[in-house]
Amino acid sequence: MSLHLPPYRPLPPPGPKADLLSVPIADLRPTQMCVGLAEVRSRQQDFSLETAEQRLRYLRGKPVPLVRGAGNALWMVDRHHRLRGLIELDPDAMAYGYLVLDRPAEPPQVVLTELQARGWLYLYDGRGHGPLAPAALPQGLLALQDDPYRSLVWRLKKEGMIDPAPLIPFHEFRWGAWLRSRPLPPFSSANLVPALAAARSLVRSRAASHLAGWKG
C-alpha cells in the first residue's frame, strides 16, 4: 500500500494567547477513518487514573485543532486517539480546542474539499484501503475503525524508535502505510508482540530514511 495524500500544510500550533473553545467531544467530527486501538486503550488507562480536575488540566494543555463550518459544525484535525478513549469512558466529556480554519458559511462538502486539498483528511480505512470519498468519513469518534498498523507505530514511537512530528498531518499513518508494504508476521492491536522485532528493524533501516521522524 502506498498513500496518495496531497501535499500537506503543517497544522498551526495554538498560540500562547489562543482562544480555546470548550466543546463536547460527542459533537466533534473526525477527519480520519480509523485509529490504533492499542493507543486508545493506553489513553483510557491514563484517564482512568486521573481526577476530573487533572483530566481537564491535561486537556487544556493539549487543545484540539478544529475546523468550523456552517451550523457550527466542528471537525477535529488531531487528537482522535485520546478523545476516542475519553468518550468511551464518559459520553458527556468535554475537550478544549482552537480554530485552525474557520468557514462558518460553508456546507460540509465544501469544507471537506478544502481540508482534502490541505492534506488534513486521512481517507484510508482500517485495512489500508482507499482513498475513499470524504463523505465516507464517520460522523463521530465511536465509529472509527481499528488499524493495527497504526497501533504498531504508536508502540514504536513510545519505545523511541521514531521521533514525533506533531505538525505533520497523519504522521503515524504514513509510517503505518510504509510498514504495511513490508512483510511482517500476523499481529493485531490487542497483540503487537509477534510483529515488534521485525518492525523495530524495519523502522531503523535505510529504506525508511525518507520518512519524517526516522532515527536510524
Side-chain angles (χ1 to χ4, degrees):
M1 170 205 175
S2 61
L3 288 184
H4 298 288
L5 296 179
Y8 62 85
R9 297 192 193 183
L11 291 173
K17 297 183 179 179
D19 291 329
L20 296 185
L21 308 175
S22 179
V23 294
I25 296 174
D27 289 351
L28 298 178
R29 303 185 186 189
T31 52
Q32 61 195 53
M33 302 280 186
C34 47
V35 288
L37 283 182
E39 179 174 353
V40 171
R41 300 298 170 237
S42 177
R43 300 286 186 184
Q44 280 183 326
Q45 185 175 15
D46 293 340
F47 281 129
S48 69
L49 299 174
E50 294 178 339
T51 66
E53 182 179 345
Q54 289 172 326
R55 185 182 295 172
L56 285 174
R57 186 164 58 246
Y58 170 80
L59 292 171
R60 191 175 184 88
K62 299 282 187 181
V64 184
L66 298 174
V67 173
R68 182 163 56 190
N72 209 36
L74 290 171
W75 287 266
M76 55 189 300
V77 196
D78 200 1
R79 314 290 194 234
H80 291 76
H81 288 77
R82 59 173 52 92
L83 296 193
R84 164 67 181 266
L86 181 52
I87 197 174
E88 286 188 14
L89 295 174
D90 179 4
D92 299 318
M94 305 289 288
Y96 294 99
Y98 67 102
L99 289 175
V100 295
L101 185 65
D102 199 8
R103 296 290 185 266
E106 302 293 354
Q109 63 270 25
V110 174
V111 175
L112 290 173
T113 297
E114 182 166 357
L115 294 184
Q116 188 173 21
R118 290 170 177 253
W120 292 359
L121 297 182
Y122 182 74
L123 298 174
Y124 293 79
D125 67 15
R127 299 177 68 183
H129 298 152
L132 305 177
L137 283 165
Q139 292 297 300
L141 285 165
L142 294 177
L144 294 174
Q145 302 173 19
D146 175 43
D147 181 351
Y149 283 86
R150 177 61 178 77
S151 289
L152 183 61
V153 173
W154 163 77
R155 174 67 178 267
L156 295 169
K157 281 185 66 179
K158 192 172 182 181
E159 293 179 353
M161 299 284 169
I162 300 170
D163 275 340
L167 300 184
I168 295 179
F170 312 113
H171 175 239
E172 294 88 351
F173 282 114
R174 295 171 192 269
W175 273 96
W178 184 80
L179 283 171
R180 199 184 293 271
S181 70
R182 265 61 185 173
L184 287 173
F187 68 99
S188 68
S189 286
N191 184 15
L192 299 173
V193 172
L196 281 176
R200 289 174 184 133
S201 178
L202 284 167
V203 300
R204 291 195 301 257
S205 70
R206 271 288 168 193
S209 62
H210 63 290
L211 292 165
W214 182 73
K215 298 179 70 172

